[in-house]
Amino acid sequence: MSPTTDECLVCQEHSGEVRVPGGHLVADDAVVAFHLPPWPPPAHEVYLGYLMVTSRRHVPGFADLSDEESAAVGRWIARLSRALESLGAQRVYVMAVGHGVPHLHVHLLPRWPETPEEVSWLDVGTWRSARKGDAAAASCVTDQVWDRLQAEKNPREC
Ligand SMILES: [Zn+2]
């Protein structure tokens, strides 16, 4: 398997060697999830709400996951999609590509309501007025997602 985990961007995002805005949203035995950092350097902006769900283990794709790991990845895709929708996303696009880094990372790409209808799913993060921000803005979104996850776990009694 190459590159080794030392050279793997996703492993570096797990270890903290590459910082992710607001820290990890999930970090357990099977899954690590976080907001995409501005990337690659010297980029200062990132599409806000762009989350990554990754396997804890350094494996290239879904075919390499155990049943338990794939269930956990699916569960967090669902929970984080709900959190983004509760923050106003009209849709959450879910993709696993893996051409660049051979460590399973699932892209969760929200479509915010101000996105014109003619903007395709591929361009929601890059059109002229796409909702972008720096690491601090992304960190704020991470906090909002975290709040939604907590609210789902412990629904407020009325
Ligand atoms: Zn890795």
Side-chain angles (χ1 to χ4, degrees):
M1 202 176 299
S2 81
T4 67
T5 55
D6 285 348
E7 298 163 342
C8 169
L9 174 59
V10 174
C11 286
Q12 291 172 347
E13 288 164 333
H14 289 185
S15 71
E17 197 177 324
V18 170
R19 293 176 60 96
V20 295
H24 295 142
L25 282 160
V26 183
D28 63 23
D29 290 346
V31 170
V32 181
F34 48 88
H35 194 295
L36 192 73
W39 194 264
H44 293 295
E45 284 196 326
V46 60
Y47 184 50
L48 295 177
Y50 194 154
L51 305 184
M52 285 285 177
V53 177
T54 72
S55 56
R56 169 66 76 180
R57 284 196 303 127
H58 178 88
V59 294
F62 278 102
D64 306 289
L65 297 181
S66 69
D67 284 354
E68 292 73 21
E69 288 168 322
S70 53
V73 168
R75 192 160 51 241
W76 282 108
I77 290 171
R79 288 176 179 168
L80 291 166
S81 295
R82 274 197 297 276
L84 287 169
E85 287 181 3
S86 77
L87 291 172
Q90 287 180 326
R91 290 173 172 275
V92 178
Y93 302 118
V94 178
M95 299 152 279
V97 184
H99 279 300
V101 178
H103 183 147
L104 177 66
H105 54 289
V106 181
H107 303 249
L108 270 62
L109 197 59
R111 185 182 189 98
W112 297 116
E114 66 272 21
T115 310
E117 217 168 280
E118 64 272 17
V119 173
S120 84
W121 69 271
L122 268 173
D123 298 324
V124 291
T126 56
W127 66 286
R128 186 173 41 84
S129 299
R131 204 183 281 194
K132 290 185 161 190
D134 60 11
S139 177
C140 180
V141 173
T142 300
D143 290 348
Q144 290 178 319
V145 171
W146 176 258
D147 286 346
R148 299 300 168 136
L149 292 175
Q150 299 313 304
E152 183 172 327
K153 218 185 323 178
N154 304 301
R156 195 181 297 272
E157 304 259 339
C158 296

